Amino acid sequence: MLSLNSATTTRTTHNDIGYVRPPPATASRCDSVDRVSLLPALTGTFGDAPDAVRVGDHATDFADLAGAAGALSRRIKGARSAAVVATSTVETVVAVLAGLAAGVPVVPIPPDAGTGERDHILRDSQADVLLNATTGPEGVEAVPTRPNDRAPWTEPPKGETALILYTSGTTGKPKGVPITSEAIAACLDGLAAAWDWTSDDRLVHALPLYHVHGLVLGVLGALRTGSRLHHTGKPRPDLLANANGSLYFAVPTIWHRVAAAPAEARKLSSARLLVSGSAALPAGVFTALRELTGQAPVERYGMTETLITVATRADGNRQPGAVGVPIKGVETRVDDTGALEVRGSTVFAGYLGRPDATEAAFTDDGWFRTGDVATIDADGVHRIIGRASTDLIKTGGYRVGAGEIEDALLTHPAVHEAAVVGRPDDDLGQRIVAYVVADAVSEETLVEHVATTLSAHKRPREVVFVEELPRNALGKIQKHKL
Protein backbone atom coordinates (compact mmCIF):
# COMPACT_ATOMS: atom_id res chain seq x y z
CA MET A 1 0.00 0.00 0.00
CA LEU A 2 1.18 3.49 -0.77
CA SER A 3 2.39 5.39 2.27
CA LEU A 4 1.71 9.11 2.37
CA ASN A 5 5.04 9.51 4.11
CA SER A 6 6.96 7.81 1.32
CA ALA A 7 9.04 9.99 -0.94
CA THR A 8 10.05 7.18 -3.30
CA THR A 9 6.72 5.72 -4.43
CA THR A 10 6.55 5.26 -8.19
CA ARG A 11 3.46 5.48 -10.34
CA THR A 12 1.31 2.39 -10.32
CA THR A 13 -1.43 1.93 -12.90
CA HIS A 14 -4.58 -0.06 -12.19
CA ASN A 15 -7.49 -1.07 -14.36
CA ASP A 16 -10.25 -3.65 -14.15
CA ILE A 17 -8.18 -6.55 -15.48
CA GLY A 18 -6.22 -9.01 -13.41
CA TYR A 19 -7.36 -8.55 -9.85
CA VAL A 20 -11.17 -8.37 -10.04
CA ARG A 21 -13.10 -11.60 -9.92
CA PRO A 22 -15.36 -12.04 -12.97
CA PRO A 23 -18.97 -11.10 -12.24
CA PRO A 24 -21.52 -13.83 -11.62
CA ALA A 25 -23.62 -14.98 -14.54
CA THR A 26 -26.55 -12.72 -13.63
CA ALA A 27 -24.35 -9.61 -13.82
CA SER A 28 -23.62 -10.22 -17.48
CA ARG A 29 -27.25 -9.53 -18.32
CA CYS A 30 -26.38 -5.85 -18.61
CA ASP A 31 -24.27 -6.76 -21.66
CA SER A 32 -27.08 -8.71 -23.32
CA VAL A 33 -29.38 -5.68 -23.63
CA ASP A 34 -29.44 -3.79 -26.93
CA ARG A 35 -27.40 -0.67 -26.17
CA VAL A 36 -28.09 1.14 -29.47
CA SER A 37 -30.34 3.43 -27.45
CA LEU A 38 -28.86 5.55 -24.67
CA LEU A 39 -31.98 4.99 -22.54
CA PRO A 40 -33.61 1.76 -23.71
CA ALA A 41 -36.33 1.91 -21.06
CA LEU A 42 -37.89 4.73 -23.12
CA THR A 43 -38.05 2.53 -26.22
CA GLY A 44 -39.98 -0.31 -24.60
CA THR A 45 -37.00 -2.64 -24.20
CA PHE A 46 -37.90 -3.57 -20.61
CA GLY A 47 -41.66 -3.47 -20.74
CA ASP A 48 -43.54 -0.98 -18.58
CA ALA A 49 -45.46 -0.43 -15.36
CA PRO A 50 -47.80 2.33 -14.12
CA ASP A 51 -45.27 3.38 -11.48
CA ALA A 52 -42.08 2.73 -13.45
CA VAL A 53 -40.89 6.21 -12.40
CA ARG A 54 -42.13 7.79 -9.21
CA VAL A 55 -40.96 11.10 -7.77
CA GLY A 56 -42.66 11.95 -4.50
CA ASP A 57 -46.37 11.33 -5.02
CA HIS A 58 -46.24 11.57 -8.83
CA ALA A 59 -45.91 8.27 -10.69
CA THR A 60 -45.72 7.65 -14.42
CA ASP A 61 -44.76 4.89 -16.83
CA PHE A 62 -41.83 4.79 -19.24
CA ALA A 63 -44.04 5.36 -22.31
CA ASP A 64 -45.73 8.46 -20.92
CA LEU A 65 -42.38 9.86 -19.79
CA ALA A 66 -40.96 9.33 -23.28
CA GLY A 67 -43.99 10.97 -24.90
CA ALA A 68 -43.87 14.05 -22.67
CA ALA A 69 -40.15 14.46 -23.25
CA GLY A 70 -40.59 13.97 -26.99
CA ALA A 71 -43.17 16.76 -27.15
CA LEU A 72 -41.06 19.21 -25.15
CA SER A 73 -37.98 18.39 -27.22
CA ARG A 74 -39.67 19.70 -30.35
CA ARG A 75 -40.23 23.09 -28.71
CA ILE A 76 -36.56 23.59 -27.84
CA LYS A 77 -34.93 22.11 -30.94
CA GLY A 78 -32.11 24.34 -32.14
CA ALA A 79 -31.43 26.02 -28.79
CA ARG A 80 -27.76 26.55 -27.87
CA SER A 81 -28.29 24.89 -24.49
CA ALA A 82 -31.26 24.30 -22.21
CA ALA A 83 -31.03 25.15 -18.53
CA VAL A 84 -33.29 23.19 -16.19
CA VAL A 85 -34.34 24.27 -12.72
CA ALA A 86 -33.66 20.85 -11.22
CA THR A 87 -36.35 20.42 -8.59
CA SER A 88 -37.05 16.91 -7.34
CA THR A 89 -40.04 16.39 -9.63
CA VAL A 90 -41.13 14.36 -12.64
CA GLU A 91 -41.15 17.67 -14.54
CA THR A 92 -37.38 17.88 -14.09
CA VAL A 93 -36.97 14.36 -15.47
CA VAL A 94 -39.10 15.29 -18.49
CA ALA A 95 -37.11 18.49 -19.06
CA VAL A 96 -33.75 16.71 -18.94
CA LEU A 97 -34.94 13.99 -21.32
CA ALA A 98 -36.35 16.63 -23.67
CA GLY A 99 -32.97 18.31 -23.94
CA LEU A 100 -31.29 14.97 -24.66
CA ALA A 101 -33.84 14.11 -27.36
CA ALA A 102 -33.49 17.54 -28.98
CA GLY A 103 -29.71 17.26 -29.11
CA VAL A 104 -29.46 20.35 -26.91
CA PRO A 105 -26.96 20.30 -24.01
CA VAL A 106 -28.85 20.18 -20.71
CA VAL A 107 -27.64 22.47 -17.91
CA PRO A 108 -29.12 21.52 -14.51
CA ILE A 109 -29.38 24.41 -12.04
CA PRO A 110 -29.82 23.85 -8.29
CA PRO A 111 -33.30 25.05 -7.35
CA ASP A 112 -31.88 26.95 -4.37
CA ALA A 113 -29.13 28.64 -6.39
CA GLY A 114 -28.71 32.33 -5.63
CA THR A 115 -29.15 34.89 -8.39
CA GLY A 116 -25.40 35.29 -8.85
CA GLU A 117 -24.77 31.55 -9.22
CA ARG A 118 -27.76 31.07 -11.52
CA ASP A 119 -26.81 33.98 -13.78
CA HIS A 120 -23.20 32.80 -13.99
CA ILE A 121 -24.29 29.32 -15.07
CA LEU A 122 -26.74 30.71 -17.63
CA ARG A 123 -24.14 33.06 -19.13
CA ASP A 124 -21.29 30.58 -19.07
CA SER A 125 -23.33 27.80 -20.70
CA GLN A 126 -24.93 30.21 -23.20
CA ALA A 127 -28.34 28.83 -22.27
CA ASP A 128 -31.09 30.49 -24.25
CA VAL A 129 -34.02 28.50 -22.87
CA LEU A 130 -34.94 27.77 -19.25
CA LEU A 131 -37.08 24.72 -18.52
CA ASN A 132 -39.11 23.98 -15.42
CA ALA A 133 -39.67 27.71 -14.91
CA THR A 134 -42.34 30.27 -15.81
CA THR A 135 -40.00 33.25 -16.20
CA GLY A 136 -36.36 33.71 -17.09
CA PRO A 137 -33.80 36.50 -17.00
CA GLU A 138 -33.32 38.78 -19.99
CA GLY A 139 -32.23 36.86 -23.06
CA VAL A 140 -33.36 33.47 -21.73
CA GLU A 141 -36.78 32.18 -22.75
CA ALA A 142 -38.77 30.26 -20.16
CA VAL A 143 -40.37 27.18 -21.77
CA PRO A 144 -42.89 25.56 -19.42
CA THR A 145 -44.03 21.97 -19.87
CA ARG A 146 -47.47 21.44 -21.39
CA PRO A 147 -48.87 18.58 -19.29
CA ASN A 148 -50.93 16.95 -22.07
CA ASP A 149 -48.47 17.23 -24.96
CA ARG A 150 -47.09 13.96 -26.32
CA ALA A 151 -44.81 13.13 -29.24
CA PRO A 152 -42.53 10.21 -30.17
CA TRP A 153 -39.23 9.93 -28.31
CA THR A 154 -36.16 10.72 -30.40
CA GLU A 155 -32.82 9.06 -29.72
CA PRO A 156 -30.12 11.55 -28.55
CA PRO A 157 -27.45 12.18 -31.21
CA LYS A 158 -24.13 10.44 -30.67
CA GLY A 159 -20.85 12.26 -30.22
CA GLU A 160 -22.47 15.43 -28.89
CA THR A 161 -22.54 17.05 -25.48
CA ALA A 162 -25.52 15.70 -23.54
CA LEU A 163 -25.09 17.51 -20.21
CA ILE A 164 -23.15 20.51 -18.96
CA LEU A 165 -22.68 19.98 -15.23
CA TYR A 166 -21.09 22.61 -13.02
CA THR A 167 -18.44 22.09 -10.37
CA SER A 168 -19.07 23.18 -6.80
CA GLY A 169 -16.98 26.33 -7.21
CA THR A 170 -14.93 25.94 -4.02
CA THR A 171 -11.85 27.45 -5.72
CA GLY A 172 -13.56 30.13 -7.80
CA LYS A 173 -16.65 30.39 -9.95
CA PRO A 174 -18.18 27.04 -10.92
CA LYS A 175 -16.73 25.60 -14.13
CA GLY A 176 -18.82 23.94 -16.82
CA VAL A 177 -18.13 20.26 -17.50
CA PRO A 178 -19.47 18.98 -20.85
CA ILE A 179 -20.49 15.32 -20.63
CA THR A 180 -21.18 13.22 -23.73
CA SER A 181 -23.79 10.50 -24.04
CA GLU A 182 -20.95 8.02 -24.67
CA ALA A 183 -19.37 8.88 -21.30
CA ILE A 184 -22.74 8.48 -19.58
CA ALA A 185 -23.28 5.09 -21.21
CA ALA A 186 -19.79 3.89 -20.28
CA CYS A 187 -20.23 4.94 -16.66
CA LEU A 188 -23.65 3.34 -16.28
CA ASP A 189 -22.68 0.10 -18.00
CA GLY A 190 -19.60 -0.16 -15.79
CA LEU A 191 -21.70 0.28 -12.67
CA ALA A 192 -24.38 -2.10 -13.91
CA ALA A 193 -21.71 -4.78 -14.23
CA ALA A 194 -20.13 -3.95 -10.86
CA TRP A 195 -23.44 -3.92 -8.97
CA ASP A 196 -25.42 -6.51 -10.96
CA TRP A 197 -27.86 -3.68 -11.66
CA THR A 198 -30.67 -4.88 -13.95
CA SER A 199 -34.30 -4.32 -14.87
CA ASP A 200 -35.25 -6.59 -11.96
CA ASP A 201 -34.20 -3.83 -9.51
CA ARG A 202 -36.22 -1.09 -7.91
CA LEU A 203 -33.94 1.89 -7.31
CA VAL A 204 -34.77 4.17 -4.38
CA HIS A 205 -33.10 7.46 -3.52
CA ALA A 206 -33.77 11.08 -2.56
CA LEU A 207 -30.74 12.77 -4.14
CA PRO A 208 -30.71 16.20 -5.83
CA LEU A 209 -31.32 16.00 -9.58
CA TYR A 210 -28.64 18.46 -10.67
CA HIS A 211 -25.46 16.43 -10.25
CA VAL A 212 -23.85 13.12 -11.15
CA HIS A 213 -25.16 11.06 -8.24
CA GLY A 214 -28.83 11.97 -8.40
CA LEU A 215 -29.24 12.74 -12.10
CA VAL A 216 -26.81 10.54 -14.04
CA LEU A 217 -26.88 7.51 -11.72
CA GLY A 218 -30.23 8.07 -10.06
CA VAL A 219 -32.33 8.89 -13.14
CA LEU A 220 -30.47 8.06 -16.35
CA GLY A 221 -29.10 4.92 -14.71
CA ALA A 222 -32.60 3.61 -14.12
CA LEU A 223 -33.62 4.41 -17.68
CA ARG A 224 -30.54 2.64 -19.08
CA THR A 225 -30.80 -0.50 -16.96
CA GLY A 226 -34.60 -0.60 -16.98
CA SER A 227 -34.85 -0.66 -13.20
CA ARG A 228 -37.92 0.97 -11.66
CA LEU A 229 -37.18 4.32 -10.01
CA HIS A 230 -38.64 5.71 -6.80
CA HIS A 231 -37.37 9.12 -5.77
CA THR A 232 -38.86 9.74 -2.33
CA GLY A 233 -38.81 13.53 -2.68
CA LYS A 234 -37.41 14.10 0.78
CA PRO A 235 -34.50 12.17 2.34
CA ARG A 236 -36.50 10.93 5.32
CA PRO A 237 -35.62 7.51 6.74
CA ASP A 238 -39.27 6.48 6.92
CA LEU A 239 -39.90 7.34 3.27
CA LEU A 240 -36.82 5.43 2.17
CA ALA A 241 -37.62 2.42 4.33
CA ASN A 242 -41.21 2.17 3.10
CA ALA A 243 -40.27 2.40 -0.59
CA ASN A 244 -39.43 -1.33 -0.75
CA GLY A 245 -36.41 -0.94 -2.98
CA SER A 246 -33.82 -3.53 -3.92
CA LEU A 247 -31.14 -0.92 -4.62
CA TYR A 248 -30.58 2.26 -2.59
CA PHE A 249 -28.39 5.29 -3.35
CA ALA A 250 -27.60 7.86 -0.65
CA VAL A 251 -24.92 10.20 0.64
CA PRO A 252 -23.36 9.78 4.11
CA THR A 253 -25.61 12.43 5.68
CA ILE A 254 -28.69 10.45 4.69
CA TRP A 255 -27.16 7.14 5.75
CA HIS A 256 -26.34 8.71 9.12
CA ARG A 257 -30.00 9.61 9.55
CA VAL A 258 -31.08 6.12 8.55
CA ALA A 259 -28.66 4.54 11.03
CA ALA A 260 -30.06 6.81 13.75
CA ALA A 261 -33.55 5.40 13.09
CA PRO A 262 -33.13 1.66 13.86
CA ALA A 263 -36.71 0.65 13.11
CA GLU A 264 -36.56 2.17 9.63
CA ALA A 265 -33.03 0.90 9.01
CA ARG A 266 -34.07 -2.68 9.74
CA LYS A 267 -36.69 -2.46 6.98
CA LEU A 268 -33.84 -2.12 4.50
CA SER A 269 -32.73 -5.67 5.27
CA SER A 270 -34.74 -6.86 2.26
CA ALA A 271 -32.74 -4.64 -0.10
CA ARG A 272 -30.10 -6.19 -2.33
CA LEU A 273 -27.53 -3.38 -2.23
CA LEU A 274 -26.96 -0.15 -0.29
CA VAL A 275 -24.69 2.33 -2.07
CA SER A 276 -22.99 5.35 -0.51
CA GLY A 277 -21.14 8.07 -2.37
CA SER A 278 -20.26 11.75 -2.90
CA ALA A 279 -18.32 11.85 0.38
CA ALA A 280 -16.58 9.44 2.72
CA LEU A 281 -18.91 7.26 4.80
CA PRO A 282 -17.88 7.38 8.48
CA ALA A 283 -16.81 4.01 9.84
CA GLY A 284 -19.40 4.22 12.61
CA VAL A 285 -22.23 4.63 10.10
CA PHE A 286 -20.83 1.76 8.01
CA THR A 287 -20.85 -0.51 11.08
CA ALA A 288 -24.33 0.59 12.19
CA LEU A 289 -25.82 -0.09 8.76
CA ARG A 290 -24.20 -3.52 8.65
CA GLU A 291 -25.62 -4.41 12.06
CA LEU A 292 -29.11 -3.02 11.42
CA THR A 293 -29.64 -4.20 7.83
CA GLY A 294 -27.58 -7.38 7.82
CA GLN A 295 -25.30 -6.18 5.04
CA ALA A 296 -22.45 -3.71 4.70
CA PRO A 297 -22.92 -0.83 2.25
CA VAL A 298 -20.74 -0.42 -0.82
CA GLU A 299 -18.94 2.83 -1.58
CA ARG A 300 -17.92 4.35 -4.89
CA TYR A 301 -15.85 7.31 -6.08
CA GLY A 302 -16.14 9.83 -8.86
CA MET A 303 -16.19 13.49 -9.80
CA THR A 304 -18.19 15.78 -12.04
CA GLU A 305 -15.33 15.69 -14.55
CA THR A 306 -14.99 11.90 -14.57
CA LEU A 307 -18.41 10.57 -13.59
CA ILE A 308 -18.04 7.43 -11.45
CA THR A 309 -14.70 5.74 -11.97
CA VAL A 310 -14.18 3.42 -8.98
CA ALA A 311 -16.71 1.25 -7.16
CA THR A 312 -16.90 -1.59 -4.67
CA ARG A 313 -18.44 -4.54 -6.48
CA ALA A 314 -21.57 -6.22 -5.21
CA ASP A 315 -19.55 -9.42 -4.88
CA GLY A 316 -16.45 -7.63 -3.58
CA ASN A 317 -14.93 -7.18 -0.15
CA ARG A 318 -16.79 -4.38 1.62
CA GLN A 319 -14.54 -2.45 3.97
CA PRO A 320 -15.05 0.86 5.79
CA GLY A 321 -13.35 3.64 3.86
CA ALA A 322 -12.71 1.53 0.75
CA VAL A 323 -14.28 2.77 -2.50
CA GLY A 324 -13.41 -0.27 -4.58
CA VAL A 325 -11.73 -0.85 -7.93
CA PRO A 326 -11.95 0.86 -11.34
CA ILE A 327 -15.01 0.09 -13.42
CA LYS A 328 -14.60 -1.27 -16.94
CA GLY A 329 -12.92 1.22 -19.27
CA VAL A 330 -11.21 3.22 -16.50
CA GLU A 331 -7.60 3.25 -15.34
CA THR A 332 -6.16 4.90 -12.24
CA ARG A 333 -2.70 5.68 -10.89
CA VAL A 334 -1.12 7.60 -8.02
CA ASP A 335 2.02 9.73 -8.24
CA ASP A 336 4.80 9.91 -5.69
CA THR A 337 2.76 12.31 -3.49
CA GLY A 338 -0.29 10.04 -3.46
CA ALA A 339 -2.24 12.22 -5.92
CA LEU A 340 -4.84 10.18 -7.81
CA GLU A 341 -5.04 10.43 -11.60
CA VAL A 342 -7.55 8.74 -13.91
CA ARG A 343 -8.20 8.21 -17.59
CA GLY A 344 -10.79 6.31 -19.57
CA SER A 345 -14.13 6.33 -21.32
CA THR A 346 -15.99 8.29 -18.60
CA VAL A 347 -13.57 11.24 -18.37
CA PHE A 348 -14.50 14.60 -19.90
CA ALA A 349 -12.38 16.31 -22.58
CA GLY A 350 -12.08 19.73 -20.99
CA TYR A 351 -13.83 22.60 -19.21
CA LEU A 352 -16.29 24.75 -21.11
CA GLY A 353 -14.48 27.82 -22.44
CA ARG A 354 -11.58 27.37 -20.02
CA PRO A 355 -8.50 26.12 -21.92
CA ASP A 356 -6.26 27.30 -19.07
CA ALA A 357 -8.12 25.23 -16.50
CA THR A 358 -8.23 22.26 -18.88
CA GLU A 359 -4.48 22.35 -19.44
CA ALA A 360 -3.85 22.48 -15.70
CA ALA A 361 -6.24 19.59 -15.07
CA PHE A 362 -4.43 17.05 -17.28
CA THR A 363 -0.92 15.64 -17.20
CA ASP A 364 1.32 15.81 -20.25
CA ASP A 365 0.46 12.18 -21.03
CA GLY A 366 -3.30 12.71 -20.82
CA TRP A 367 -4.32 11.65 -17.29
CA PHE A 368 -6.86 13.76 -15.38
CA ARG A 369 -5.62 15.13 -12.08
CA THR A 370 -8.45 14.49 -9.62
CA GLY A 371 -6.96 16.66 -6.88
CA ASP A 372 -7.59 13.83 -4.42
CA VAL A 373 -5.03 11.86 -2.46
CA ALA A 374 -5.53 8.09 -2.47
CA THR A 375 -3.99 4.77 -1.61
CA ILE A 376 -4.30 1.67 -3.79
CA ASP A 377 -3.52 -1.71 -2.26
CA ALA A 378 -2.18 -4.85 -3.92
CA ASP A 379 -5.71 -5.94 -4.88
CA GLY A 380 -6.42 -2.60 -6.55
CA VAL A 381 -8.76 -1.41 -3.79
CA HIS A 382 -8.79 2.38 -3.51
CA ARG A 383 -9.10 4.51 -0.39
CA ILE A 384 -9.54 8.26 -0.75
CA ILE A 385 -7.51 10.14 1.85
CA GLY A 386 -8.91 13.54 0.91
CA ARG A 387 -8.32 16.58 -1.26
CA ALA A 388 -4.69 17.37 -1.95
CA SER A 389 -5.38 21.08 -1.41
CA THR A 390 -7.01 20.71 1.99
CA ASP A 391 -6.52 17.13 3.15
CA LEU A 392 -2.81 16.58 2.60
CA ILE A 393 -1.21 18.35 5.53
CA LYS A 394 2.54 19.01 5.60
CA THR A 395 3.48 19.30 9.26
CA GLY A 396 6.92 19.12 10.83
CA GLY A 397 8.41 17.43 7.78
CA TYR A 398 5.65 14.79 7.53
CA ARG A 399 2.86 14.43 4.99
CA VAL A 400 -0.30 13.50 6.85
CA GLY A 401 -3.74 12.66 5.42
CA ALA A 402 -6.60 14.50 7.10
CA GLY A 403 -8.93 11.55 6.49
CA GLU A 404 -6.79 9.24 8.58
CA ILE A 405 -7.04 11.60 11.56
CA GLU A 406 -10.77 12.05 11.02
CA ASP A 407 -11.27 8.30 11.07
CA ALA A 408 -9.27 8.07 14.31
CA LEU A 409 -11.36 10.78 15.94
CA LEU A 410 -14.57 9.03 14.88
CA THR A 411 -13.53 5.90 16.76
CA HIS A 412 -13.97 7.82 20.03
CA PRO A 413 -17.49 7.15 21.33
CA ALA A 414 -18.15 10.83 22.07
CA VAL A 415 -17.40 12.03 18.53
CA HIS A 416 -20.20 12.24 15.96
CA GLU A 417 -18.49 14.17 13.15
CA ALA A 418 -14.98 15.40 12.48
CA ALA A 419 -13.16 17.49 9.89
CA VAL A 420 -9.41 18.06 9.96
CA VAL A 421 -7.52 20.83 8.18
CA GLY A 422 -4.01 22.26 8.14
CA ARG A 423 -3.43 25.82 9.36
CA PRO A 424 -0.28 27.89 8.68
CA ASP A 425 2.25 27.54 11.48
CA ASP A 426 5.63 29.29 11.74
CA ASP A 427 7.25 26.29 13.39
CA LEU A 428 5.56 23.26 11.79
CA GLY A 429 4.67 24.69 8.40
CA GLN A 430 1.10 23.56 9.03
CA ARG A 431 -0.50 22.56 12.31
CA ILE A 432 -3.27 20.00 12.47
CA VAL A 433 -6.63 21.47 13.54
CA ALA A 434 -9.69 19.29 14.14
CA TYR A 435 -13.28 20.58 14.02
CA VAL A 436 -15.46 18.18 15.99
CA VAL A 437 -19.14 17.61 16.71
CA ALA A 438 -19.14 15.67 19.97
CA ASP A 439 -20.76 14.99 23.31
CA ALA A 440 -19.04 16.16 26.49
CA VAL A 441 -15.36 15.40 26.02
CA SER A 442 -12.21 17.46 26.50
CA GLU A 443 -9.75 18.62 23.88
CA GLU A 444 -6.95 16.85 25.78
CA THR A 445 -8.82 13.54 25.68
CA LEU A 446 -9.29 13.66 21.91
CA VAL A 447 -5.70 14.71 21.25
CA GLU A 448 -4.46 11.81 23.37
CA HIS A 449 -6.89 9.43 21.67
CA VAL A 450 -5.43 10.26 18.24
CA ALA A 451 -1.85 10.19 19.51
CA THR A 452 -2.31 6.67 20.87
CA THR A 453 -4.34 5.46 17.87
CA LEU A 454 -1.97 6.84 15.23
CA SER A 455 1.57 8.14 15.26
CA ALA A 456 2.11 10.95 17.74
CA HIS A 457 2.98 13.47 15.03
CA LYS A 458 -0.54 13.01 13.59
CA ARG A 459 -2.28 14.31 16.70
CA PRO A 460 -4.30 17.54 16.39
CA ARG A 461 -2.58 20.59 17.80
CA GLU A 462 -5.97 22.20 18.27
CA VAL A 463 -9.53 20.90 18.63
CA VAL A 464 -12.46 23.21 17.88
CA PHE A 465 -15.89 22.05 19.05
CA VAL A 466 -18.79 23.03 16.76
CA GLU A 467 -22.51 22.29 16.66
CA GLU A 468 -22.40 21.16 13.03
CA LEU A 469 -20.02 20.98 10.08
CA PRO A 470 -20.79 22.96 6.91
CA ARG A 471 -21.92 20.65 4.11
CA ASN A 472 -23.21 21.10 0.59
CA ALA A 473 -26.36 19.48 -0.79
CA LEU A 474 -24.51 16.23 -1.50
CA GLY A 475 -23.26 15.94 2.07
CA LYS A 476 -19.66 16.93 1.36
CA ILE A 477 -17.96 18.88 4.13
CA GLN A 478 -17.01 22.35 2.92
CA LYS A 479 -13.65 22.74 4.60
CA HIS A 480 -13.02 26.14 3.05
CA LYS A 481 -15.77 27.47 5.34
CA LEU A 482 -14.12 26.21 8.52
Side-chain angles (χ1 to χ4, degrees):
M1 179 180 291
L2 170 71
S3 168
L4 289 178
N5 292 327
S6 170
T8 60
T9 304
T10 58
R11 292 184 185 271
T12 304
T13 303
H14 295 264
N15 58 26
D16 63 332
I17 299 173
Y19 57 80
V20 178
R21 294 194 304 273
T26 53
S28 64
R29 283 185 295 169
C30 69
D31 296 325
S32 66
V33 175
D34 180 4
R35 295 303 192 189
V36 173
S37 173
L38 174 65
L39 306 173
L42 300 180
T43 65
T45 299
F46 303 104
D48 215 336
D51 64 343
V53 175
R54 175 181 292 275
V55 183
D57 295 328
H58 187 173
T60 186
D61 57 29
F62 290 140
D64 202 47
L65 194 64
L72 182 57
S73 74
R74 284 153 175 74
R75 299 170 58 201
I76 62 173
K77 194 81 172 178
R80 291 191 301 264
S81 62
V84 177
V85 181
T87 55
S88 295
T89 59
V90 168
E91 287 74 18
T92 292
V93 177
V94 169
V96 169
L97 297 178
L100 297 180
V104 175
V106 176
V107 186
I109 296 179
D112 60 349
T115 302
E117 179 184 3
R118 183 202 65 177
D119 290 351
H120 165 71
I121 293 174
L122 291 173
R123 287 194 305 269
D124 191 70
S125 66
Q126 297 187 337
D128 48 3
V129 295
L130 181 62
L131 309 182
N132 234 13
T134 55
T135 60
E138 185 177 355
V140 181
E141 179 188 1
V143 182
T145 302
R146 295 171 181 166
N148 298 320
D149 281 5
R150 297 292 182 272
W153 163 258
T154 303
E155 182 62 24
K158 298 185 183 300
E160 303 292 333
T161 297
L163 302 173
I164 302 176
L165 304 178
Y166 274 78
T167 62
S168 59
T170 56
T171 57
K173 288 187 176 181
K175 297 187 287 290
V177 177
I179 303 294
T180 65
S181 58
E182 287 80 5
I184 293 170
C187 171
L188 295 175
D189 289 350
L191 292 176
W195 295 337
D196 192 16
W197 183 5
T198 73
S199 59
D200 292 335
D201 280 307
R202 181 179 179 83
L203 171 62
V204 177
H205 71 89
L207 299 164
L209 300 187
Y210 53 84
H211 218 278
V212 172
H213 200 170
L215 178 58
V216 177
L217 273 63
V219 173
L220 303 185
L223 298 177
R224 186 159 180 81
T225 62
S227 65
R228 275 37 179 179
L229 168 63
H230 185 169
H231 189 293
T232 60
K234 296 180 180 179
R236 285 174 21 197
D238 60 323
L239 296 178
L240 295 168
N242 293 328
N244 298 315
S246 63
L247 178 62
Y248 281 79
F249 294 165
V251 297
T253 300
I254 297 175
W255 286 127
H256 182 270
R257 295 172 184 172
V258 170
E264 282 74 19
R266 291 188 182 96
K267 292 181 181 180
L268 300 185
S269 60
S270 60
R272 184 179 65 79
L273 199 65
L274 311 178
V275 180
S276 183
S278 298
L281 184 68
V285 177
F286 180 99
T287 301
L289 288 173
R290 182 176 58 196
E291 293 174 350
L292 291 167
T293 67
Q295 66 165 306
V298 300
E299 296 188 64
R300 89 301 181 278
Y301 168 79
M303 302 180 66
T304 304
E305 294 92 336
T306 67
L307 303 181
I308 306 306
T309 52
V310 177
T312 300
R313 296 179 62 87
D315 62 346
N317 185 12
R318 307 178 191 185
Q319 311 167 49
V323 294
V325 298
I327 65 171
K328 183 178 180 180
V330 171
E331 293 178 289
T332 65
R333 72 184 185 186
V334 292
D335 67 13
D336 57 4
T337 69
L340 178 65
E341 299 168 356
V342 302
R343 70 178 180 186
S345 53
T346 69
V347 180
F348 82 139
Y351 295 105
L352 183 67
R354 291 289 305 276
D356 55 336
T358 299
E359 183 178 5
F362 286 88
T363 65
D364 291 341
D365 55 348
W367 292 71
F368 176 71
R369 296 183 171 105
T370 67
D372 286 321
V373 179
T375 64
I376 307 175
D377 69 17
D379 294 321
V381 175
H382 293 55
R383 291 178 180 270
I384 306 301
I385 305 302
R387 295 295 292 171
S389 58
T390 58
D391 293 322
L392 184 60
I393 303 170
K394 299 177 181 179
T395 180
Y398 294 96
R399 290 196 300 270
V400 178
E404 185 179 23
I405 305 170
E406 290 161 359
D407 287 344
L409 286 165
L410 289 168
T411 63
H412 192 284
V415 176
H416 301 293
E417 295 183 278
V420 171
V421 299
R423 293 284 184 231
D425 186 278
D426 291 339
D427 180 46
L428 298 169
Q430 287 181 301
R431 70 181 185 277
I432 299 170
V433 180
Y435 290 82
V436 174
V437 179
D439 298 329
V441 64
S442 70
E443 177 179 7
E444 293 76 13
T445 298
L446 293 183
V447 170
E448 180 64 20
H449 178 73
V450 173
T452 55
T453 304
L454 304 174
S455 301
H457 69 265
K458 297 179 180 180
R459 70 188 185 281
R461 302 291 176 143
E462 181 182 350
V463 177
V464 180
F465 293 99
V466 295
E467 291 186 1
E468 62 180 10
L469 297 175
R471 296 179 182 271
N472 64 15
L474 293 177
K476 294 183 179 180
I477 297 173
Q478 297 175 301
K479 290 191 175 182
H480 66 285
K481 292 186 176 181
L482 291 173

